[in-house]
Every structure is written in C-alpha cells, then in structure tokens.
Amino acid sequence: MDQGVERLAIDGGTPITTEAFPTTMLGPAAMGEEEVEAVAAVIRSGKLFRFLDPENSRCTELENHFRAMTGCQHALAVGGGTGALICGLVGIGVGEGDEVIVPAYTYIASASAVLICGGVPVIGEIDESLTLDPRDVENKITPRTKAIMPVHMRGIPCDMEPILEVARRHDLLVIEDVSQACGGMYKGRRLGALGDVGCFSLQQFKVMTAGEGGMIVTDQREVFERAALRHDSAMCFWNPEDTVVQPFPGENFRMNEMEGALGCVQFGRIEGILTRTRAIQKQIRDGIAGLPNITLHEPPDPEGDCGISLAFFLDSADSAKHFVKALRAEGVPAGSMYDQGIPDRHIYCYWEYVMKQTSGDAHGWPWTSTRHDASRTYHPDMCPRTLDILGRAVVLPISQTFEDRHVALMIGGVRKVAAALAS
Ligand SMILES: Cc1ncc(COP(=O)(O)O)c(C=O)c1O
C-alpha cells in the first residue's frame, strides 16, 4: 500500500488537477446584490435595533421564515449558534448539575453551552452515521440526566427515532443542534422540529448565514419564553404581553436588524443550495460506489441529508491517512477526520476545559457544585469507538459552487487513488 502512495504522491505522476477547488459552502459566490441592498436598506432606515419598530422587523420576518420551514409555533432569532444552544438549554430547564448527553464528535460549543448553563456534558459515542449513537445514549443515562443533544453534524440527520424513543422511555428532553444542517430533514420532518427545542447557527460557514446569528425553534410556549428571557435582560419590557414564565435575568444574545435582513435574503437561497449540494453528492457517490477497500457513509435518512460533504471509511486509520495524502497530491481536497496533527475543536478529546474539568476564572460550575456527581471523570480515550470511526473516515467537502468539472475531478481522483492503493 505504501508503494502506491509513493507513486502517486511523490513520484511525479501527473496529478489529476492543479486547479483550486471552491471548498467553502458560502463566500462571495453565495451572496449577491440582494444581500447588499437588504443590509444597506436597514442602515438607511436608521433602525438597527430589533425592538425599535417591531411591526417591520427583519428579525421577526426571519423568525417567521423559520416557523414556516420547521412548522414550529415559536422561533427566536439570536446572535449566534452558541447563544441559541444556551437559550435552548435554559428553555428546557437545564441548570446546575443537570447532565446533558452530547456526542463525542461535535463542535466544542455544544459542550460549552451545557457548561455555561451550569450543566454537565456527558460524552456519548458516535456510530458510523457520524452522529450520536442511540445505543450509547442509553448507557450514559444516570439519575442526573436531564436531556440529550443530538447534533446533525456535516448536514447529516441523526437517527432521531431511536433517540426520541430512549428520551421518551427515560423521561428526558431533547435539544437538537442543527447548526450544521439548516434545511435538512429526517423522515419528512425538518431538523430542529423533532425534539423539544431546535437550535441553529447562522455563522458564515453554514448552509445559510446572517454573518453571525442563530435561531431557536420550539412548539412549547414555556420553552420559548424562557429562552427569550435568557436572550435579553429586558425581554419582559419589550414584550409585556401575558407570559406564563416569571421574568428572570438574561443577557444579550439579541440579533440585530442588519443580521435579520441578511438572514432573510439568505433564507431564500436554502432550497437552491441544498438542491445543488444534494445533486453533487449523489453524482460523487454514484461515481465512487463499489470501489475496493472503501465503504461509503450511509446517512440515517439519505433524502434528508444536506449533501454538504461525503465521507467514506477505510479499514484502518493508517489507510485513511494514506488515502487523504494521495488525494491531496492529486489536487483533490479531502480530509481525514482524526489525528491530523492538530487539535480539532470538533473532537471531544481536544476539549481541554472539559477533559480537565476546569472553568478558568469564570466560575466554578458545574465542577464545584454539590449537585454534580463528583466521581465523574473525563479522559481523551473515553470514547474509543468514536476515535476509531473518525480515524478511518475520509471526507470530501462539497460546495454548491462546484462545477461539473470539479465533480468529475473529484470522482476521478478517488477512483485513481483507490485503484493504486488496491494494486
Ligand atoms: C455543531 C455546532 N454547534 C454549535 C456551533 C456554534 O455556533 P456559533 O459559532 O454560531 O456560536 C457551531 C458552529 O460552528 C456548530 O458547528
């Protein structure tokens, strides 16, 4: 196998391409004059604060879009995905010492949001879907468990049915982290609408962006009100209508009108982007199906997958690394998911403040709390299946701006490397 890599990567065989691939989802190509005009109009109006003119708020309009997309009764725009998770967790009542099961493979913010609420992130294994393994969720439940946080990583819908079933059986709440999968579906339902609360990030590298931003959706009025109170210390003044929740202190996770306006234009692009990424993913999938020694990733709901990347697995981490090295030598962008020589903020073993149970100077929670299980420990090899799966995975990024030649080059590169490494 080494010989194959040498021949391809170093020995000067002509690479498939030397052309740069567009590898980010968003960027200038996915934004146009409409976005510029929408933001400029807000600036010209002088109304940047969302509660200044509630009747004409672009933030409210964006919330309405998310309500319509998900079918949820309530939506709350916030300043970021982490803020959305914090408000969502507060919304479902997560507080000091409450355990929340988060996947071992997710952006660190999923765990940090739990800590900020005084809760304890309990790390669950992923399976070959690359998302939370419902069977391991069951193993991680304790009397302190309050909620499960499935994260739809890389646009892949988690297998929500068994997760919801475990939650129902153990009387747990479900908070979906939809940051990386806006517009994705699971069995005909929009992601974010399946659990008790759904939280989105609208940061630049997501399916759609508001520059920075986030969104919370829920069907439960009380969850919405608690989230809204947490998102603004003066919420009870902006919205003095009848509420079911008594006011409590919040902070500032408000979205502003420029973000709202940008988000509204971007929202209109979601379906077009996903139609294109799904078509590209299918072409690549078909083009590399059946190659020797590689197993294609199978999402829990192929129809609902956002199509923003395509993963496949090799038999060992070494093989995956060789494969990636050879693909890159061919000019094809690809990444292995674990052990790339740099700490990765998406893999639990690199989450230093979780592994070491430190809160810096911020506050002692949850580790000093008497409501926390003091015998709980963390260590970098606590989820070996996750590290094994990520180690064997190779990921091809997909952008809606790929042209047919990029798709052909990607397929050609994977086929060439697979053939060389099999010989
Ligand atoms: C899975 C996941 N959760 C949460 C976040 C946090 O979102 P934000 O950066 O908007 O705070 C991100 C952002 O990258 C993410 O990918």
Side-chain angles (χ1 to χ4, degrees):
M1 188 171 273
D2 275 339
Q3 252 185 344
V5 174
E6 294 294 307
R7 186 155 38 82
L8 285 158
I10 299 162
D11 207 23
T14 316
I16 279 231
T17 180
T18 50
E19 187 190 345
F21 274 62
T23 52
T24 51
M25 281 298 297
L26 289 164
M31 279 180 266
E33 283 307 306
E34 244 188 297
E35 277 87 350
V36 174
E37 191 39 51
V39 175
V42 171
I43 296 170
R44 281 191 210 104
S45 78
K47 295 174 182 169
L48 310 189
F49 180 57
R50 72 161 295 179
F51 296 119
L52 193 58
D53 185 5
E55 301 296 306
N56 297 300
S57 162
R58 303 294 323 257
C59 294
T60 306
E61 194 182 323
L62 185 58
E63 290 167 349
N64 290 338
H65 286 315
F66 271 80
R67 289 198 299 125
M69 176 175 78
T70 58
C72 287
Q73 283 187 36
H74 307 280
L76 177 73
V78 292
T82 312
L85 288 171
I86 294 167
C87 294
L89 287 161
V90 170
I92 58 171
V94 168
E96 192 182 338
D98 290 333
E99 294 181 357
V100 179
I101 300 172
V102 301
Y105 174 55
T106 178
Y107 187 54
I108 188 171
S110 313
S112 100
V114 175
L115 290 167
I116 288 168
C117 295
V120 177
V122 172
I123 301 171
E125 296 267 25
I126 61 160
D127 57 24
E128 294 207 347
S129 72
L130 295 173
T131 62
L132 192 57
D133 178 356
R135 287 162 308 172
D136 198 50
V137 167
E138 189 116 38
N139 299 334
K140 297 286 157 59
I141 293 170
T142 76
R144 290 178 164 84
T145 310
K146 175 103 180 188
I148 308 170
M149 185 191 290
V151 183
H152 309 290
M153 281 299 276
R154 291 183 170 275
I156 304 163
C158 297
D159 201 0
M160 290 301 292
E161 250 167 27
I163 291 173
L164 292 169
E165 193 275 321
V166 174
R168 257 191 309 272
R169 210 157 13 87
H170 293 270
D171 203 15
L172 303 176
L173 296 153
V174 174
I175 173 167
E176 288 178 75
D177 183 342
V178 204
S179 296
Q180 298 194 7
C182 182
M185 321 262 290
Y186 178 80
K187 304 206 170 162
R189 292 179 65 193
R190 290 284 185 178
L191 302 180
L194 292 121
D196 294 278
V197 65
C199 303
F200 298 75
S201 165
L202 306 180
Q203 173 262 0
Q204 168 146 21
F205 301 110
K206 304 299 189 274
V207 176
M208 64 153 278
T209 188
E212 294 283 355
M215 189 64 69
I216 297 159
V217 294
T218 180
D219 265 336
Q220 299 167 38
R221 181 168 172 188
E222 196 168 325
V223 171
F224 170 72
E225 284 186 14
R226 290 175 61 84
L229 285 166
R230 181 62 188 255
H231 114 291
D232 187 324
S233 58
M235 194 62 207
C236 52
F237 295 92
W238 309 129
N239 182 17
E241 289 157 26
D242 275 356
T243 50
V244 288
V245 176
Q246 284 296 309
F248 58 80
E251 35 203 304
N252 181 359
F253 290 128
R254 277 191 311 265
M255 182 178 272
N256 69 53
E257 284 294 301
M258 290 180 293
E259 292 166 332
L262 177 54
C264 283
V265 180
Q266 283 272 303
F267 184 88
R269 299 192 190 276
I270 294 177
E271 287 310 318
I273 289 173
L274 295 185
T275 301
R276 179 78 190 126
T277 51
R278 284 171 176 151
I280 294 170
Q281 193 203 52
K282 180 168 180 341
Q283 274 178 283
I284 301 174
R285 178 179 275 282
D286 291 348
I288 65 175
L291 290 178
N293 304 326
I294 74 172
T295 307
L296 280 172
H297 171 260
E298 296 298 339
D301 180 354
E303 305 281 299
D305 190 288
C306 294
I308 57 177
S309 66
L310 178 63
F312 54 85
F313 302 100
L314 281 98
D315 61 350
S316 71
D318 273 353
S319 309
K321 273 196 215 161
H322 283 303
F323 209 105
V324 167
K325 194 174 159 201
L327 270 180
R328 288 187 177 161
E330 291 295 336
V332 173
S336 43
M337 294 177 82
Y338 173 52
D339 202 9
Q340 303 187 79
I342 45 163
D344 184 331
R345 58 196 180 280
H346 300 91
I347 308 178
Y348 78 96
C349 57
Y350 297 112
W351 302 342
E352 190 175 321
Y353 53 76
V354 181
M355 290 300 108
K356 295 189 173 158
Q357 295 177 261
T358 52
S359 303
D361 293 332
H363 53 59
W365 304 335
W367 316 119
T368 53
S369 165
T370 50
R371 298 184 60 190
H372 153 246
D373 172 7
S375 69
R376 180 173 289 288
T377 55
Y378 295 79
H379 47 93
D381 51 3
M382 66 196 290
C383 291
R385 279 192 52 227
T386 296
L387 299 183
D388 172 57
I389 290 166
L390 295 179
R392 290 187 290 104
V394 174
V395 187
L396 304 171
I398 292 172
S399 162
Q400 80 277 14
T401 58
F402 274 13
E403 293 177 18
D404 287 350
R405 71 177 188 289
H406 299 117
V407 176
L409 289 169
M410 201 167 248
I411 294 170
V414 175
R415 294 188 74 88
K416 183 175 170 187
V417 171
L421 295 185
S423 64

